[in-house]
Amino acid sequence: MDALDLARWQFGVTTVYHFLFVPLTIGLGVFVAGLQTAWYRTGKEHYLRLTKFFGKLFLINFAMGVVTGIVQEFQFGMNWSEYSIFVGDVFGAPLALEALLAFFLESTFIGLWIFGWDKLPRGVHLATIWIAVIGSNLSAYFILAANAWMKHPVGYEVVDGKARMTDLWAVLTNSTALAQVPHVIAAAFVVAGGFVLAICGYHLLRERHTGTAPGSTGAAPGFDGTAPGPDGTAPAPRGGASIWRTPMRAALLMTAIAGALVAGSGDTSAKLLYEQQPMKLAAAEGLRHDTAGAPFSPVPGLEVPMLLSLLSTNDPNAVVQGTEDLQARYEERFGPGDYLPNLPVVFWSFRVMIVFGLSTVGLSVLGLWLTRRRRGAPREVPAWFARICLLALPLPTIAVIAGWLLSEIGRQPWTVQGELLTAASVSPGVSLAEVAVSLAVFTALYGVLALVEAILLTRHVKAGPEPVAPAAPRTPPSRGDDEIADARLQPTLMY
């Protein structure tokens, strides 16, 4: 093992860890904005409670994503200086746009959203969360455009051993980026949907045992058909019509729609792999030799005739290149070397992504059927389905991590496809001991951060939505100015 191996491990560990937070931040931000929009339009209290509850979870995840994302930038200079020198002129533009435009937009308006409760007009405050959501999606777009360039470099020329950008628009509208962005964004909504489903399932199960949602006085009046008691509290939710049915239905619908988008954009990506990264496609399918009418192999030993050719080209008789034949061609084109990725990892990552992703989408479709309205009344959520919803937390997360491994390991041994090998990208002056120390420190630090994240999320999930305090009564004009100002600050803030 040398410094290159450890540098790859370090970048892999930090990237996968960071990527745990990115999809959830993107999807959950939109979900929270949707809940607040519902509250703005209807004025119903349970939407406000859900907005603040899921908003806290969103902010915890967002903060952790920012902290872990900063490390990625430093690694380019520390362990991958040769890579930075080669791609710097190309990467500079999209990464600058991501930092100066998208991230600043996102962080600024998230701050306004956090501290703007009861200070900004409702419409303006609602706009802040939507602008922040737009910023997070723009941030994802610019980063994915840079990543897509590594797989399919366009709009550049190589001068003095460096890639120099000749067309920014070509980089931002790279065909690989245009397929990858909707695929990743839609997957983010699946992850967020699974996160919300798991929380809803957990609380529905708790309600069955305790009679009321934790941290609340029952469902909002008029929401579940019950009326408040004389002391202002509502009786325990009846049937399945608790405060959690609304976010569960929304999450089920979001996951099902996003799952369809993931499948459609994934099909487009597969066709681009056939043209741009045939080695990755062959490795994912375990195809060793060029084959006309190539079969699709869901698992080793089981083949569906001609399906791979059909999925890759829309032609069931098309020739799909195999790994061993591609290795020979690459040796002729680029010189002696090993141009094969880690075949077992690529092969099984693809299957884990498919199985776990489809399982999540199937769960959402089943849930939509089980929770449909019957004769105008909401159906009770079955206890067994609420338990299954707990699986929605790990399933999509594992699927997106497997997809990311497929995407990045499948590109090896290149950092920039056809231009720069990974072995030529590492910093020449970094020793094995230095990388080993930084890898150990980062791994330990990230382990602590993971523990902190888990504790914070678990604490807030268990606490449930907090009751919304009633607005302070209008202050009589006869009171002093200081007392008037104090009374106006009484409504409960979010933080």
Side-chain angles (χ1 to χ4, degrees):
M1 181 173 290
D2 54 17
L4 172 62
D5 296 323
L6 286 185
R8 291 182 64 188
W9 267 103
Q10 179 173 305
F11 199 86
V13 168
T14 55
T15 301
V16 169
Y17 187 87
H18 174 63
F19 198 64
L20 289 173
F21 307 106
V22 173
L24 183 56
T25 297
I26 293 173
L28 193 57
V30 174
F31 191 81
V32 171
L35 288 173
Q36 186 168 346
T37 301
W39 172 62
Y40 177 80
R41 290 174 60 88
T42 66
K44 293 182 178 180
E45 181 184 294
H46 66 278
Y47 284 126
L48 176 59
R49 294 174 61 201
L50 290 169
T51 298
K52 292 189 174 186
F53 171 73
F54 285 107
K56 288 181 180 180
L57 302 179
F58 163 70
L59 291 173
I60 293 170
N61 192 76
F62 173 80
M64 198 65 67
V66 171
V67 171
T68 56
I70 293 174
V71 176
Q72 306 301 101
E73 305 288 341
F74 289 113
Q75 287 188 93
F76 289 140
M78 292 168 56
N79 293 342
W80 304 98
S81 61
E82 293 299 317
Y83 165 81
S84 300
I85 292 172
F86 182 81
V87 305
D89 290 347
V90 176
F91 266 41
L95 292 185
L97 288 170
E98 188 274 332
L100 298 177
L101 175 62
F103 179 71
F104 283 177
L105 182 73
E106 179 184 17
S107 56
T108 298
F109 282 91
I110 280 182
L112 290 173
W113 185 70
I114 293 173
F115 299 106
W117 288 95
D118 299 323
K119 293 182 175 65
L120 296 175
R122 285 189 179 185
V124 174
H125 188 257
L126 174 62
T128 61
I129 184 63
W130 277 113
I131 294 174
V133 165
I134 292 172
S136 66
N137 281 269
L138 282 176
S139 179
Y141 183 90
F142 291 127
I143 292 175
L144 290 171
N147 177 264
W149 186 85
M150 297 166 62
K151 302 167 185 174
H152 180 229
V154 296
Y156 77 106
E157 61 181 0
V158 178
V159 179
D160 297 329
K162 301 179 183 178
R164 293 187 176 176
M165 185 169 57
T166 59
D167 190 344
L168 174 61
W169 185 247
V171 173
L172 295 180
T173 59
N174 187 346
S175 59
T176 301
L178 295 180
Q180 182 170 274
V181 169
H183 190 66
V184 174
I185 297 297
F189 288 122
V190 175
V191 171
F195 180 80
V196 174
L197 278 178
I199 292 173
C200 293
Y202 167 77
H203 278 291
L204 285 170
L205 290 173
R206 288 192 69 178
E207 285 183 3
R208 288 178 176 272
H209 289 88
T210 63
T212 59
S216 71
T217 56
F223 177 60
D224 63 348
T226 59
D231 60 349
T233 62
R238 295 188 313 206
S242 75
I243 192 175
W244 298 105
R245 192 178 189 279
T246 296
M248 171 174 277
R249 286 281 299 176
L252 289 169
L253 183 61
M254 181 174 72
T255 304
I257 295 174
L261 295 175
V262 169
S265 56
D267 178 70
T268 302
S269 296
K271 291 177 171 57
L272 289 175
L273 287 182
Y274 176 82
E275 301 173 359
Q276 300 168 2
Q277 300 180 81
M279 181 67 83
K280 182 188 294 185
L281 177 63
E285 295 301 336
L287 190 67
R288 297 174 57 188
H289 299 287
D290 298 353
T291 305
F296 177 80
S297 176
V299 293
L302 176 63
E303 294 183 346
V304 181
M306 298 187 291
L307 183 57
L308 178 57
S309 293
L310 179 63
L311 293 175
S312 302
T313 66
N314 292 328
D315 180 1
N317 298 308
V319 176
V320 179
Q321 301 180 78
T323 54
E324 294 186 9
D325 294 324
L326 281 167
Q327 168 68 23
R329 295 188 187 98
Y330 286 171
E331 287 183 354
E332 293 179 3
R333 179 180 175 183
F334 301 110
D338 184 2
Y339 298 98
L340 297 172
N342 189 317
L343 297 180
V345 172
V346 175
F347 181 87
W348 288 109
S349 292
F350 176 63
R351 280 143 188 83
V352 169
M353 177 187 69
I354 295 296
V355 171
F356 282 60
L358 287 178
S359 297
T360 306
V361 176
L363 177 64
S364 68
V365 173
L366 175 62
L368 287 172
W369 173 258
L370 291 174
T371 59
R372 71 193 187 281
R373 299 182 73 86
R374 178 176 54 186
R375 298 177 183 176
R379 290 174 178 262
E380 179 179 353
V381 178
W384 63 267
F385 180 73
R387 292 189 183 92
I388 292 178
C389 283
L390 300 178
L391 296 175
L393 180 61
L395 286 179
T397 301
I398 294 173
V400 296
I401 293 301
W404 196 249
L405 292 175
L406 165 67
S407 177
E408 298 307 301
I409 295 179
R411 191 187 62 247
Q412 297 300 318
W414 304 97
T415 47
V416 180
Q417 185 73 33
E419 290 286 357
L420 183 66
L421 290 167
T422 304
S425 303
V426 70
S427 300
V430 177
S431 67
L432 175 64
E434 290 172 330
V435 181
V437 170
S438 62
L439 173 60
V441 170
F442 278 128
T443 302
L445 177 61
Y446 278 20
V448 173
L449 290 176
L451 180 61
V452 172
E453 165 94 354
I455 291 174
L456 290 175
L457 289 178
T458 302
R459 179 183 301 167
H460 286 289
V461 168
K462 285 185 175 181
E466 298 178 359
V468 178
R474 187 177 299 275
T475 307
S478 61
R479 298 172 64 182
D481 292 340
D482 291 339
E483 292 179 319
I484 294 174
D486 181 67
R488 288 175 178 170
L489 291 176
Q490 286 181 14
T492 302
L493 300 181
M494 181 174 180
Y495 302 100

